[in-house]
């Protein structure tokens, strides 16, 4: 039995959200948001916490 059949669908993870914002910001040419997303992704991959200011930029993108 596949894993997807045994667990209910889950909401997008915070990492998925950052990647979505990165794609959208890149399409729009929003270099400030692209840079913030890259720093968040880099911090996450290194096992560090992203800065509050970068997270605020990512969170505000769709607002």
């Amino acid at each position: 039995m596949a894993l997807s059949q045994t667990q209910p669908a889950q909401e997008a993870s915070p990492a998925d959200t950052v990647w979505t914002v990165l794609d959208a910001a890149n399409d729009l040419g929003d270099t400030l948001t692209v840079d913030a997303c890259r720093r968040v992704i880099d911090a996450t991959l290194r096992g560090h916490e992203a800065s509050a200011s970068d997270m605020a930029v990512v969170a505000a993108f769709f607002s």
Side-chain angles (χ1 to χ4, degrees):
M1 183 181 287
L3 181 60
S4 63
Q5 293 173 334
T6 61
Q7 295 182 349
Q10 297 177 1
E11 292 183 17
S13 72
D16 290 340
T17 301
V18 175
W19 281 100
T20 300
V21 171
L22 175 61
D23 287 340
N26 201 25
D27 288 345
L28 295 173
D30 184 346
T31 56
L32 295 175
T33 302
V34 168
D35 290 343
C37 288
R38 288 181 176 162
R39 288 189 297 269
V40 169
I41 292 166
D42 185 53
T44 302
L45 291 174
R46 293 176 183 263
H48 299 284
E49 193 168 321
S51 73
S53 60
D54 285 340
M55 291 304 296
V57 170
V58 171
F61 186 77
F62 288 119
S63 298

